[in-house]
Amino acid sequence: MVPSVPKAMAEQLTQRQLIAGAQSGSREALEKLLDLYEDRVFALAQRMVGPAEAEDAAQEALIQICSSIGGFRGRSDLSTWVYRVTVNVCLQHRRRRNPEVTPLEDDALERQADPDADPAAAIDRNQLKSRVDAAIDALPEVYRDVVVLHELMGLTYRECAAVLECPVGTVKSRLSSAFVKLRELLRDSVSEGEVAI
Amino acid sequence: MNCQRTQQEIKAYIDGELGVVTRFRLSRHLARCAGCRKEMDEMTDLTNQLRNVPGPHAPRGLRDKVMAGIDADSTRTSRPRRLLRTGAAVAAALLGTMLLAAVMFPVFFRAREASRHSEALRNEKMMGAPFGQPAEPGAADSAPQAAPKRAEEGGMGLLVIKTADVYVEVRSFSDANDRAISIAKSVGGYVTDSSAEAVEDTPTSGELTIRVPVDAFERVVEQFGKLGVVKSKAITGEDVTGEVVDLESRIRNKRAEERQYLDIMNRARSITDVVTVSNELYRVRAEIEQAQGRLKYLRSASAMATVNLTLEEKAKMKPAAAGSVIYNSFTGATASLKSTLSVFGVIAVWMVVYSPLWAVPVGIWVYGRRKRVAADARQ
C-alpha cells in the first residue's frame, strides 16, 4: 500500500535522522534501521539465494550495510542503497555456488537455469506456498530478481535499474518477459493439476 | 501501435512507467483491440496477486548475530585514529603539492597560453565550415563522443541522458518519415527502430526511435516539430554525472584492491591462502567489469540522445458540414438519381443483349396487329 504524503515525508525525515545517528555511532539508531530493513533484506535474500542460504546472505548483507553506513552519502534513497548491497551479496553467494555461470544475455541465462527442472511440477510439489508464490521461485534468476525488486519490494523501474546496475529498458523488458513466463507457469500448473485429478 | 508492440509495453503501462506519448498511443490501441484489453486484464490481475504475496519475517537470532558482527567503531563516518592518520597524509600531500606548484607554475602557464591559442584557431575553422559538414576529416565520426568529453574536462562536467517523445500529425506519412530520417542523418544520427501501421479506414501512422548526438538534440526535436502539427511533446533529462563520478572512483578503488590481492597472492604460502585470495580476486574483477559496463553505457547514453517520434497522417476531412439539412438532402437526391439512372442503363443493356429472343415475337405481333387494323379499315 502506498503511504500518504505526510506519512512518507515523516518516514523520510526519520530515516535521515536515523542515518545521521548511525553515522555518529549510535547503536540505538542502528537497531531502528535494522527494524526497518531486516525483514525486507531477509525476504530479498530468500528469493535470490533460496531458503537454505537466506539467513547467511541476509546476515552478511546487514553486517555490510551497518558497517558501511558511514560511507553512505545520500545520493540515492537509503532503500535503493540497502537493496543494492543485498543484491551484490546475494550475487556473490550465487557465484560461489555456480562459479561457471557468467553474466551473459538474458536468453542464455534462462537456458542455463536448471535445465532438468520442471517449474510447473515444482509449483505443485510446493504445497506450503501459494501457487503464485511458488511460481516466482520457479522463474529463471534473471527474471525473478526484477520481479522481486519491483513487485515485492516496491521499487520503481529506475530504482530497480540502479540496484541491478542495468539500463531502465532492460528492467522493463525483463519484467514484461517475466510476467509472460509467470502466466505460462501458472497455467501449466493448473492444467497439470486438473489432469492429475 | 500494433498488438506485438502493445504486449511488450502493457506491463509498463499497468505500472505507470510509460512516457506520456506511448501511454496515449497504447490507450488508443486498447480502445479498439479486444485481444489486447484481455491481455491487460490478465496482467493486471497477476500484478495484484503478486503484490499480495506475504513476505517472510527474519529469523529470531539474526539481529543478535548482526549486532555481534559489527565493529562498534566501523559505522562512524569519521574515526579519530584514521582522522589523525588522514590528517597527517593530507598535510604531507599539501606540502608536496605546494612545492610542485612552485616548480611547475611557469611551465603550466606557458602550456595554457599555447592551448588557448590553438583552441581559438580551431574554433575559427569550425565557424567557417557549412552546416552539417565536418570542419576537418574524421570530425563527424568523433562528434557523439566529443560532447561529454568536453563536459568532463570543463568545470561543469554534466552528463545528462536526454530523451524526447514527440507526436506529430502530418499530411503524408511516407514523406514525413523520409524527411525525419534525412534530418537524423544530417546531424550524424541514426534510426534504431521503426514501424509503420496501415489499417483500413484509419490513417497511416508509424513510430521511429532515433539516436542523435546530444549537441544536435534540441535542433532535431525542433525540426521534427516542423514536419506537421505537434500534438504532444515531452523532453526528459536524467543527470548521471554523480553516478559516473562514483563509478570512476569505485573502479579506481577496486583496481587498487585488485593490485593488493595480486601482491598477497605472490606471497601466499598455503593452498588455503591461494584459494581465498583467488576468490576475492574473482569478486573484485567481477565488480570492476560490472562498474565498467555501467560506465560505458552511461557515457554512450549521454553522448547520444534518444527521440521517440510518432508520425500520424491527418484523417481525411469530410466535405459536408455535419447537420446541414439542405446539403444532406441535395447529396441524397443526387445519389438517388444516379442509382435510378444506373438501373435504367442496366435494363437497356439487358434488353439489347436479349433482343433476339423478344424482337421476333414483338415484330410478329406488331405485323399481325397492323394487318388486322388494315382489314378492319377495308370492311
Side-chain angles (χ1 to χ4, degrees), chain A residues 22-24 27 31 34-35 38-39 42-43 46-47 55 59 66-67 70 73 75 84 92 95 99 132-133 136 150-152 157 165-167 172 176 179 183 186-187, chain B residues 8-9 11-12 15 17 39 42-43 46-47 49-51 53 56-59 62-63 65-67 69-70 74-77 238 246 250 282-283 287 290 294 297:
Chain A
Q23 286 179 336
S24 62
R27 217 167 165 82
E31 291 259 12
L34 285 173
D35 284 343
E38 191 179 37
D39 284 348
F42 179 73
Q46 197 181 56
R47 295 285 181 187
E55 192 173 346
Q59 185 186 336
C66 293
S67 305
R73 278 167 287 179
R75 281 206 171 129
R84 186 187 270 188
Q92 282 167 29
R95 277 191 211 113
V132 177
D133 203 359
I136 301 171
H150 182 258
E151 306 299 342
L152 307 188
Y157 283 17
E165 300 188 325
C166 66
K172 195 166 97 170
S176 180
F179 265 66
R183 196 171 50 178
L186 289 167
R187 271 184 195 155
Chain B
Q8 286 166 357
E9 304 278 0
K11 176 66 182 134
D15 293 333
E17 293 269 3
E39 174 87 7
E42 283 182 20
M43 287 289 180
L46 189 52
T47 302
Q49 283 186 49
L50 278 177
R51 288 180 186 170
V53 170
H57 290 288
L62 182 62
R63 174 72 63 92
K65 286 181 195 165
V66 171
M67 292 311 278
I70 305 166
S74 67
T75 62
R76 291 175 193 271
T77 308
E238 186 191 354
D246 270 355
R250 204 201 302 177
Y282 182 82
R283 178 187 58 79
E287 284 173 4
Q290 214 174 10
R294 175 80 182 151
Y297 160 73

Coordinates of all heavy atoms in Angstrom, one line a residue, chain A residues 22-24 27 31 34-35 38-39 42-43 46-47 55 59 66-67 70 73 75 84 92 95 99 132-133 136 150-152 157 165-167 172 176 179 183 186-187, chain B residues 8-9 11-12 15 17 39 42-43 46-47 49-51 53 56-59 62-63 65-67 69-70 74-77 238 246 250 282-283 287 290 294 297:
Chain A
A22 N 23.2 6.7 13.1 CA 24.0 5.6 12.8 C 25.4 6.0 12.4 O 26.4 5.3 12.8 CB 23.4 4.7 11.8
Q23 N 25.5 7.1 11.6 CA 26.8 7.5 11.2 C 27.7 8.1 12.3 O 28.9 8.1 12.3 CB 26.7 8.5 10.1 CG 26.3 7.9 8.7 CD 26.1 8.8 7.6 OE1 25.8 10.0 7.8 NE2 26.2 8.3 6.4
S24 N 26.9 8.6 13.4 CA 27.7 9.1 14.5 C 28.0 8.0 15.6 O 28.4 8.3 16.6 CB 27.0 10.3 15.1 OG 25.7 9.9 15.6
R27 N 24.1 3.1 18.6 CA 23.7 1.7 18.4 C 22.2 1.6 18.3 O 21.6 0.8 17.7 CB 24.2 0.9 19.6 CG 24.6 -0.5 19.3 CD 25.4 -1.2 20.4 NE 25.5 -2.6 20.1 CZ 26.3 -3.2 19.3 NH1 27.2 -2.4 18.6 NH2 26.3 -4.5 19.1
E31 N 19.8 -0.1 15.5 CA 18.8 -1.1 15.8 C 17.5 -0.7 15.1 O 16.8 -1.5 14.5 CB 18.5 -1.1 17.3 CG 19.7 -1.7 18.1 CD 19.4 -3.2 18.5 OE1 18.5 -3.7 17.9 OE2 20.2 -3.7 19.3
L34 N 17.7 -1.4 11.5 CA 17.5 -2.8 11.3 C 16.0 -3.2 11.4 O 15.5 -4.1 10.6 CB 18.3 -3.6 12.3 CG 19.8 -3.7 12.0 CD1 20.6 -4.3 13.2 CD2 20.1 -4.4 10.7
D35 N 15.3 -2.5 12.3 CA 13.9 -2.8 12.4 C 13.2 -2.5 11.1 O 12.3 -3.2 10.7 CB 13.2 -1.8 13.4 CG 13.5 -2.2 14.9 OD1 13.9 -3.4 15.0 OD2 13.3 -1.4 15.8
E38 N 15.4 -5.2 8.2 CA 15.8 -6.6 8.5 C 14.9 -7.6 7.7 O 15.4 -8.5 7.0 CB 15.6 -6.9 10.0 CG 16.2 -8.2 10.4 CD 16.1 -8.3 11.9 OE1 15.0 -7.9 12.5 OE2 17.0 -8.9 12.6
D39 N 13.6 -7.4 7.8 CA 12.6 -8.4 7.2 C 12.8 -8.3 5.7 O 12.7 -9.3 5.0 CB 11.2 -8.1 7.6 CG 10.9 -8.6 9.0 OD1 11.7 -9.3 9.5 OD2 9.8 -8.2 9.5
F42 N 15.9 -9.9 4.4 CA 15.8 -11.3 4.5 C 14.9 -11.9 3.4 O 15.3 -12.9 2.7 CB 15.3 -11.8 5.9 CG 15.1 -13.2 6.1 CD1 16.2 -14.0 6.2 CD2 13.9 -13.8 6.0 CE1 16.1 -15.4 6.3 CE2 13.7 -15.2 6.1 CZ 14.8 -16.0 6.3
A43 N 13.8 -11.2 3.2 CA 12.9 -11.6 2.1 C 13.6 -11.6 0.7 O 13.5 -12.6 0.0 CB 11.7 -10.7 2.1
Q46 N 16.1 -14.4 0.6 CA 15.4 -15.7 0.4 C 15.0 -16.0 -1.0 O 15.1 -17.1 -1.5 CB 14.2 -15.8 1.4 CG 13.7 -17.2 1.6 CD 12.5 -17.2 2.5 OE1 11.5 -16.6 2.2 NE2 12.6 -18.0 3.6
R47 N 14.5 -15.0 -1.6 CA 14.1 -15.1 -3.0 C 15.3 -15.3 -3.9 O 15.3 -16.0 -4.9 CB 13.4 -13.9 -3.5 CG 12.1 -13.7 -2.9 CD 11.0 -14.6 -3.3 NE 9.7 -14.4 -2.7 CZ 8.7 -15.2 -2.8 NH1 8.8 -16.3 -3.6 NH2 7.6 -14.9 -2.2
E55 N 19.6 -17.0 5.4 CA 20.0 -16.4 6.6 C 21.4 -15.9 6.6 O 21.7 -14.8 7.0 CB 19.7 -17.3 7.8 CG 19.9 -16.6 9.1 CD 19.5 -17.5 10.3 OE1 18.9 -18.6 10.1 OE2 19.8 -17.1 11.5
Q59 N 22.5 -12.0 6.8 CA 23.4 -11.6 7.9 C 24.6 -10.9 7.3 O 24.9 -9.8 7.8 CB 23.8 -12.9 8.6 CG 24.7 -12.6 9.8 CD 25.3 -13.8 10.5 OE1 24.7 -14.9 10.3 NE2 26.4 -13.7 11.2
C66 N 25.4 -2.1 7.9 CA 25.7 -1.4 9.1 C 27.1 -0.9 9.1 O 27.4 0.2 9.6 CB 25.4 -2.3 10.3 SG 23.7 -2.7 10.5
S67 N 28.1 -1.7 8.6 CA 29.5 -1.3 8.7 C 29.8 -0.2 7.7 O 30.7 0.6 8.0 CB 30.4 -2.5 8.4 OG 30.1 -3.6 9.2
G70 N 28.5 4.5 7.3 CA 29.3 5.8 7.4 C 29.7 6.3 6.1 O 29.9 7.5 5.9
R73 N 26.4 8.4 1.3 CA 26.4 9.9 1.1 C 25.0 10.5 0.8 O 24.9 11.6 0.5 CB 27.4 10.3 0.0 CG 28.8 10.3 0.6 CD 29.8 10.4 -0.5 NE 29.9 9.1 -1.2 CZ 30.7 8.8 -2.2 NH1 31.4 9.8 -2.7 NH2 30.7 7.7 -2.8
R75 N 23.2 10.0 -1.9 CA 23.0 10.3 -3.3 C 21.8 9.6 -3.8 O 21.1 10.0 -4.8 CB 24.2 10.0 -4.1 CG 25.3 11.0 -4.0 CD 26.2 11.0 -5.3 NE 27.0 12.2 -5.2 CZ 28.3 12.1 -5.4 NH1 28.9 11.0 -5.6 NH2 29.1 13.2 -5.3
R84 N 20.8 -2.6 -3.0 CA 22.0 -2.8 -3.9 C 23.0 -3.6 -3.2 O 23.6 -4.6 -3.7 CB 22.6 -1.5 -4.3 CG 23.7 -1.6 -5.3 CD 24.3 -0.3 -5.6 NE 23.7 0.4 -6.7 CZ 24.2 1.5 -7.3 NH1 25.3 2.0 -6.8 NH2 23.6 2.0 -8.3
Q92 N 27.1 -12.7 -5.0 CA 28.4 -13.4 -4.7 C 28.1 -14.8 -4.2 O 28.8 -15.7 -4.5 CB 29.1 -12.6 -3.6 CG 29.8 -11.4 -4.1 CD 30.2 -10.5 -3.0 OE1 30.5 -10.9 -1.8 NE2 30.3 -9.2 -3.2
R95 N 27.5 -16.9 -7.2 CA 28.7 -17.2 -7.9 C 29.5 -18.3 -7.2 O 30.1 -19.1 -7.9 CB 29.6 -15.9 -8.0 CG 29.1 -15.0 -9.2 CD 30.2 -14.0 -9.4 NE 29.5 -12.8 -9.9 CZ 29.4 -11.6 -9.3 NH1 29.9 -11.5 -8.1 NH2 28.7 -10.6 -9.8
P99 N 30.2 -21.2 -9.8 CA 31.2 -20.3 -10.3 C 31.3 -20.3 -11.9 O 31.8 -19.3 -12.4 CB 32.5 -20.9 -9.7 CG 32.2 -22.2 -9.3 CD 30.7 -22.3 -9.1
V132 N 1.1 -18.7 -6.7 CA 1.8 -17.5 -7.2 C 3.2 -17.4 -6.6 O 4.2 -17.2 -7.3 CB 1.0 -16.2 -6.9 CG1 1.7 -15.0 -7.4 CG2 -0.3 -16.3 -7.6
D133 N 3.2 -17.6 -5.3 CA 4.5 -17.6 -4.5 C 5.5 -18.6 -5.1 O 6.6 -18.3 -5.3 CB 4.1 -17.9 -3.1 CG 5.2 -17.4 -2.1 OD1 6.1 -16.7 -2.6 OD2 5.0 -17.6 -0.9
I136 N 6.9 -17.7 -8.5 CA 8.0 -16.7 -8.5 C 9.3 -17.4 -8.3 O 10.3 -17.1 -9.0 CB 7.8 -15.7 -7.4 CG1 6.5 -14.9 -7.5 CG2 9.0 -14.7 -7.3 CD1 6.2 -14.0 -6.3
H150 N 10.7 -5.3 -7.9 CA 9.6 -4.4 -8.3 C 8.3 -4.7 -7.6 O 7.7 -3.8 -7.1 CB 9.4 -4.4 -9.9 CG 8.4 -3.4 -10.3 ND1 7.1 -3.8 -10.6 CD2 8.4 -2.1 -10.4 CE1 6.4 -2.8 -11.0 NE2 7.1 -1.7 -10.8
E151 N 7.9 -5.9 -7.7 CA 6.6 -6.3 -7.1 C 6.6 -6.5 -5.6 O 5.6 -6.1 -5.0 CB 6.0 -7.5 -7.8 CG 6.0 -7.5 -9.3 CD 5.1 -6.4 -9.9 OE1 4.3 -5.8 -9.2 OE2 5.3 -6.0 -11.1
L152 N 7.6 -7.1 -5.1 CA 7.6 -7.4 -3.7 C 8.2 -6.3 -2.8 O 7.8 -6.1 -1.7 CB 8.2 -8.8 -3.4 CG 7.7 -10.0 -4.2 CD1 8.3 -11.3 -3.7 CD2 6.2 -10.1 -4.2
Y157 N 11.0 1.3 -11.7 CA 11.9 0.7 -12.7 C 13.3 1.4 -12.6 O 14.3 0.7 -12.7 CB 11.3 1.0 -14.1 CG 10.2 0.2 -14.5 CD1 9.4 -0.6 -13.6 CD2 9.8 0.1 -15.9 CE1 8.4 -1.4 -14.0 CE2 8.7 -0.7 -16.3 CZ 8.0 -1.4 -15.3 OH 7.0 -2.2 -15.7
E165 N 22.1 -2.5 -11.6 CA 23.1 -1.8 -12.4 C 22.9 -2.2 -13.9 O 23.8 -2.8 -14.5 CB 24.5 -2.2 -11.9 CG 24.7 -1.7 -10.5 CD 26.1 -1.9 -9.9 OE1 26.8 -2.8 -10.3 OE2 26.5 -1.0 -9.1
C166 N 21.8 -1.9 -14.4 CA 21.5 -2.2 -15.8 C 20.6 -1.0 -16.3 O 20.0 -0.3 -15.5 CB 20.8 -3.5 -16.0 SG 19.2 -3.6 -15.2
P167 N 20.4 -0.9 -17.6 CA 19.5 0.2 -18.1 C 18.0 0.0 -17.7 O 17.6 -1.2 -17.5 CB 19.7 0.1 -19.6 CG 20.9 -0.7 -19.9 CD 21.1 -1.6 -18.7
K172 N 12.5 -3.0 -17.9 CA 11.1 -3.0 -18.5 C 11.0 -4.3 -19.3 O 9.9 -5.0 -19.1 CB 11.0 -1.8 -19.4 CG 9.6 -1.6 -19.8 CD 9.5 -0.2 -20.4 CE 9.5 -0.2 -21.9 NZ 9.1 1.0 -22.6
S176 N 8.4 -7.6 -18.4 CA 7.4 -8.0 -19.3 C 7.6 -9.5 -19.6 O 6.6 -10.2 -19.6 CB 7.6 -7.1 -20.6 OG 6.6 -7.5 -21.5
F179 N 6.5 -11.7 -16.7 CA 5.1 -11.8 -16.5 C 4.5 -12.8 -17.5 O 3.6 -13.6 -17.1 CB 4.4 -10.5 -16.6 CG 4.2 -9.9 -15.2 CD1 5.3 -9.5 -14.4 CD2 2.9 -9.8 -14.7 CE1 5.1 -9.0 -13.2 CE2 2.8 -9.3 -13.4 CZ 3.8 -8.9 -12.6
R183 N 2.7 -16.3 -16.2 CA 1.4 -16.7 -16.6 C 1.4 -18.1 -17.2 O 0.6 -18.9 -16.8 CB 0.9 -15.7 -17.6 CG -0.6 -15.8 -17.8 CD -1.1 -14.7 -18.6 NE -0.4 -14.5 -19.9 CZ -0.6 -13.6 -20.8 NH1 -1.6 -12.8 -20.6 NH2 0.1 -13.6 -21.9
L186 N 1.8 -20.6 -14.3 CA 0.6 -20.8 -13.5 C -0.5 -21.6 -14.3 O -1.1 -22.4 -13.8 CB 0.0 -19.4 -13.1 CG 0.8 -18.7 -12.0 CD1 0.4 -17.3 -11.9 CD2 0.7 -19.4 -10.7
R187 N -0.5 -21.3 -15.6 CA -1.5 -22.1 -16.5 C -1.1 -23.5 -16.5 O -1.9 -24.4 -16.4 CB -1.5 -21.5 -17.9 CG -2.4 -20.4 -18.1 CD -2.5 -20.0 -19.5 NE -3.1 -18.7 -19.7 CZ -2.9 -17.8 -20.7 NH1 -2.0 -18.1 -21.6 NH2 -3.6 -16.7 -20.8
Chain B
Q8 N 4.3 -5.8 -25.5 CA 5.6 -5.6 -24.9 C 5.6 -4.4 -23.8 O 6.3 -4.4 -22.9 CB 6.7 -5.2 -25.9 CG 7.1 -6.3 -26.8 CD 7.9 -5.9 -28.0 OE1 8.0 -4.7 -28.3 NE2 8.4 -6.8 -28.8
E9 N 4.7 -3.5 -24.1 CA 4.6 -2.3 -23.3 C 3.5 -2.4 -22.2 O 3.5 -1.5 -21.3 CB 4.3 -1.1 -24.1 CG 5.3 -0.8 -25.3 CD 6.5 -0.1 -24.8 OE1 6.7 0.2 -23.6 OE2 7.4 0.1 -25.7
K11 N 2.9 -4.2 -19.5 CA 3.3 -4.2 -18.1 C 3.7 -2.9 -17.6 O 3.3 -2.4 -16.5 CB 4.4 -5.3 -18.0 CG 4.9 -5.4 -16.6 CD 3.9 -6.0 -15.6 CE 4.5 -6.0 -14.2 NZ 3.6 -5.5 -13.2
A12 N 4.5 -2.2 -18.4 CA 4.9 -0.8 -18.0 C 3.7 0.1 -18.0 O 3.7 1.1 -17.1 CB 6.0 -0.3 -19.0
D15 N 2.1 -0.4 -14.7 CA 2.9 0.1 -13.6 C 3.0 1.6 -13.6 O 3.7 2.2 -12.8 CB 4.3 -0.6 -13.7 CG 4.2 -2.1 -13.4 OD1 3.3 -2.5 -12.7 OD2 5.1 -2.8 -13.9
E17 N 4.7 3.3 -15.8 CA 6.1 3.7 -16.1 C 6.3 4.1 -17.6 O 7.5 4.0 -18.0 CB 7.0 2.4 -15.8 CG 7.0 2.1 -14.3 CD 8.2 2.7 -13.6 OE1 8.9 3.5 -14.2 OE2 8.3 2.5 -12.4
E39 N -5.6 -9.1 -22.6 CA -4.2 -9.3 -22.1 C -3.9 -8.4 -20.9 O -3.3 -8.8 -19.9 CB -3.2 -9.0 -23.3 CG -1.8 -9.0 -22.9 CD -1.1 -10.4 -23.1 OE1 -1.8 -11.3 -23.5 OE2 0.0 -10.5 -22.7
E42 N -5.6 -9.6 -17.7 CA -4.9 -10.7 -17.1 C -3.6 -10.3 -16.4 O -3.3 -10.7 -15.3 CB -4.5 -11.7 -18.2 CG -5.7 -12.6 -18.7 CD -5.3 -13.6 -19.7 OE1 -4.1 -14.0 -19.8 OE2 -6.2 -14.1 -20.4
M43 N -2.9 -9.4 -17.1 CA -1.6 -8.9 -16.5 C -1.9 -8.1 -15.2 O -1.1 -8.2 -14.2 CB -0.9 -8.0 -17.5 CG -0.2 -8.8 -18.6 SD 1.2 -9.7 -18.0 CE 1.7 -10.5 -19.5
L46 N -2.7 -10.5 -12.4 CA -1.4 -11.2 -12.0 C -0.6 -10.2 -11.1 O 0.0 -10.6 -10.1 CB -0.6 -11.7 -13.2 CG 0.5 -12.6 -13.0 CD1 0.2 -13.8 -12.1 CD2 1.1 -13.1 -14.3
T47 N -0.5 -9.0 -11.5 CA 0.2 -8.0 -10.8 C -0.4 -7.8 -9.4 O 0.4 -7.8 -8.4 CB 0.2 -6.6 -11.5 OG1 0.7 -6.8 -12.8 CG2 1.0 -5.6 -10.8
Q49 N -2.1 -10.1 -7.7 CA -1.9 -11.3 -7.0 C -0.4 -11.3 -6.4 O -0.2 -11.6 -5.2 CB -2.0 -12.5 -7.9 CG -3.4 -12.9 -8.2 CD -3.5 -14.2 -9.0 OE1 -2.8 -15.1 -8.6 NE2 -4.2 -14.2 -10.1
L50 N 0.5 -10.8 -7.2 CA 1.9 -10.8 -6.8 C 2.1 -9.9 -5.6 O 2.9 -10.1 -4.7 CB 2.8 -10.4 -7.9 CG 3.2 -11.4 -8.9 CD1 4.1 -10.8 -10.0 CD2 4.0 -12.5 -8.3
R51 N 1.5 -8.7 -5.7 CA 1.7 -7.7 -4.7 C 1.1 -8.1 -3.4 O 1.4 -7.5 -2.4 CB 1.2 -6.3 -5.2 CG 2.1 -5.8 -6.3 CD 1.7 -4.5 -6.8 NE 2.6 -4.2 -7.9 CZ 2.4 -3.2 -8.8 NH1 1.4 -2.4 -8.6 NH2 3.2 -3.0 -9.8
V53 N 1.4 -11.2 -2.2 CA 2.2 -12.3 -1.6 C 2.8 -11.9 -0.3 O 3.6 -10.9 -0.3 CB 3.2 -12.8 -2.6 CG1 4.2 -13.8 -2.0 CG2 2.6 -13.4 -3.8
P56 N 8.3 -13.0 4.2 CA 8.7 -13.7 5.4 C 9.3 -12.8 6.4 O 9.7 -11.7 6.1 CB 9.8 -14.7 4.9 CG 10.4 -14.0 3.8 CD 9.3 -13.2 3.1
H57 N 9.3 -13.2 7.7 CA 10.0 -12.4 8.8 C 11.4 -13.0 9.0 O 11.6 -14.2 8.8 CB 9.2 -12.5 10.1 CG 7.9 -11.8 10.0 ND1 7.8 -10.4 10.0 CD2 6.6 -12.2 9.9 CE1 6.6 -10.0 9.8 NE2 5.8 -11.1 9.8
A58 N 12.3 -12.1 9.3 CA 13.6 -12.5 9.6 C 13.7 -13.5 10.8 O 12.9 -13.3 11.7 CB 14.5 -11.3 9.8
P59 N 14.5 -14.5 10.7 CA 14.6 -15.4 11.9 C 15.0 -14.7 13.2 O 15.7 -13.6 13.1 CB 15.6 -16.5 11.5 CG 16.1 -16.1 10.2 CD 15.4 -14.9 9.7
L62 N 18.7 -13.6 14.1 CA 19.5 -12.9 13.1 C 20.0 -11.5 13.6 O 21.2 -11.2 13.4 CB 18.6 -12.6 11.8 CG 19.3 -11.9 10.6 CD1 20.5 -12.7 10.1 CD2 18.3 -11.7 9.5
R63 N 19.1 -10.8 14.3 CA 19.5 -9.5 14.8 C 20.8 -9.6 15.7 O 21.7 -8.8 15.6 CB 18.3 -8.9 15.6 CG 18.6 -7.6 16.3 CD 18.7 -6.5 15.3 NE 17.5 -6.2 14.6 CZ 16.6 -5.4 15.0 NH1 16.7 -4.7 16.0 NH2 15.5 -5.3 14.2
K65 N 23.1 -11.8 15.8 CA 24.3 -12.2 15.0 C 24.8 -11.0 14.3 O 26.0 -10.8 14.2 CB 23.9 -13.3 14.0 CG 23.7 -14.7 14.6 CD 23.5 -15.6 13.4 CE 22.9 -17.0 14.0 NZ 22.3 -17.8 12.9
V66 N 23.9 -10.2 13.7 CA 24.3 -9.0 13.0 C 25.0 -8.0 14.0 O 26.1 -7.5 13.7 CB 23.1 -8.3 12.3 CG1 23.5 -6.9 11.7 CG2 22.5 -9.2 11.2
M67 N 24.3 -7.7 15.1 CA 24.9 -6.8 16.0 C 26.2 -7.2 16.6 O 27.1 -6.4 16.8 CB 23.9 -6.5 17.2 CG 22.6 -5.8 16.8 SD 22.9 -4.3 15.8 CE 23.2 -3.1 17.1
G69 N 28.3 -9.0 14.9 CA 29.3 -9.0 13.8 C 29.8 -7.6 13.4 O 30.6 -7.4 12.6
I70 N 29.1 -6.5 14.0 CA 29.5 -5.2 13.7 C 30.6 -4.6 14.6 O 30.4 -4.7 15.8 CB 28.3 -4.2 13.7 CG1 27.2 -4.7 12.9 CG2 28.7 -2.8 13.3 CD1 25.8 -4.1 13.2
S74 N 33.0 0.9 13.4 CA 33.0 0.8 11.9 C 31.9 1.6 11.3 O 32.0 2.0 10.1 CB 33.0 -0.6 11.4 OG 31.7 -1.1 11.8
T75 N 30.8 1.9 12.0 CA 29.7 2.6 11.4 C 29.9 4.1 11.3 O 29.3 4.8 10.6 CB 28.4 2.4 12.2 OG1 28.6 2.9 13.5 CG2 28.1 0.9 12.3
R76 N 30.9 4.6 12.1 CA 31.1 6.1 12.1 C 31.7 6.6 10.8 O 32.5 5.9 10.2 CB 32.1 6.4 13.3 CG 31.5 6.2 14.7 CD 32.7 6.5 15.6 NE 32.3 6.1 17.0 CZ 31.7 6.8 17.9 NH1 31.3 8.0 17.6 NH2 31.4 6.3 19.1
T77 N 31.3 7.8 10.5 CA 31.9 8.4 9.3 C 33.3 8.8 9.5 O 34.2 8.6 8.7 CB 31.1 9.7 8.9 OG1 29.7 9.3 8.9 CG2 31.5 10.2 7.6
E238 N 18.0 12.9 -17.6 CA 18.4 12.3 -16.3 C 19.9 12.6 -16.1 O 20.8 12.2 -16.9 CB 18.3 10.8 -16.4 CG 18.5 10.0 -15.2 CD 18.6 8.5 -15.3 OE1 18.3 8.0 -16.5 OE2 19.0 7.8 -14.4
D246 N 31.0 8.6 -9.2 CA 31.0 7.4 -8.3 C 31.6 6.2 -8.9 O 32.5 5.5 -8.2 CB 29.6 7.1 -7.8 CG 29.1 7.9 -6.6 OD1 30.0 8.6 -6.1 OD2 28.0 7.8 -6.3
R250 N 34.9 4.3 -7.9 CA 34.8 2.9 -7.4 C 35.7 2.0 -8.2 O 36.4 1.1 -7.6 CB 33.3 2.4 -7.6 CG 33.0 1.3 -6.7 CD 31.8 0.4 -7.2 NE 30.6 1.2 -7.3 CZ 29.5 0.6 -7.8 NH1 29.4 -0.7 -8.1 NH2 28.4 1.3 -7.9
Y282 N 38.5 -12.9 -7.9 CA 37.4 -13.1 -8.8 C 36.2 -12.1 -8.5 O 35.7 -11.5 -9.4 CB 36.9 -14.6 -8.5 CG 35.7 -15.0 -9.5 CD1 36.0 -15.4 -10.8 CD2 34.4 -14.9 -9.0 CE1 34.9 -15.8 -11.6 CE2 33.4 -15.2 -9.9 CZ 33.6 -15.7 -11.2 OH 32.6 -16.0 -12.0
R283 N 36.0 -11.9 -7.2 CA 34.9 -11.0 -6.8 C 35.2 -9.6 -7.3 O 34.4 -8.9 -7.9 CB 34.7 -11.0 -5.3 CG 33.7 -10.1 -4.8 CD 33.6 -10.0 -3.2 NE 34.9 -9.7 -2.6 CZ 35.3 -8.4 -2.5 NH1 34.6 -7.4 -3.0 NH2 36.5 -8.1 -1.9
E287 N 33.3 -7.2 -10.0 CA 32.8 -5.8 -9.6 C 33.3 -4.8 -10.6 O 32.6 -3.9 -11.0 CB 33.1 -5.5 -8.2 CG 32.2 -6.3 -7.2 CD 32.6 -6.1 -5.8 OE1 33.6 -5.3 -5.5 OE2 32.0 -6.7 -4.9
Q290 N 31.5 -5.1 -13.9 CA 30.2 -4.6 -13.8 C 30.1 -3.1 -13.8 O 29.4 -2.5 -14.6 CB 29.6 -5.1 -12.4 CG 28.2 -5.4 -12.5 CD 27.7 -6.0 -11.2 OE1 28.4 -6.0 -10.2 NE2 26.5 -6.5 -11.1
R294 N 28.6 -0.5 -16.8 CA 27.6 0.6 -16.5 C 28.1 1.9 -16.9 O 27.4 2.7 -17.5 CB 27.3 0.5 -15.0 CG 26.4 1.6 -14.5 CD 25.0 1.3 -14.7 NE 24.1 2.4 -14.3 CZ 23.0 2.7 -14.8 NH1 22.5 2.0 -15.8 NH2 22.3 3.7 -14.3
Y297 N 27.9 2.3 -20.6 CA 26.5 2.5 -21.0 C 26.1 4.0 -20.8 O 25.6 4.6 -21.6 CB 25.6 1.6 -20.3 CG 24.2 2.1 -20.3 CD1 23.4 2.0 -21.4 CD2 23.6 2.7 -19.1 CE1 22.1 2.5 -21.5 CE2 22.3 3.2 -19.2 CZ 21.6 3.1 -20.3 OH 20.3 3.6 -20.3

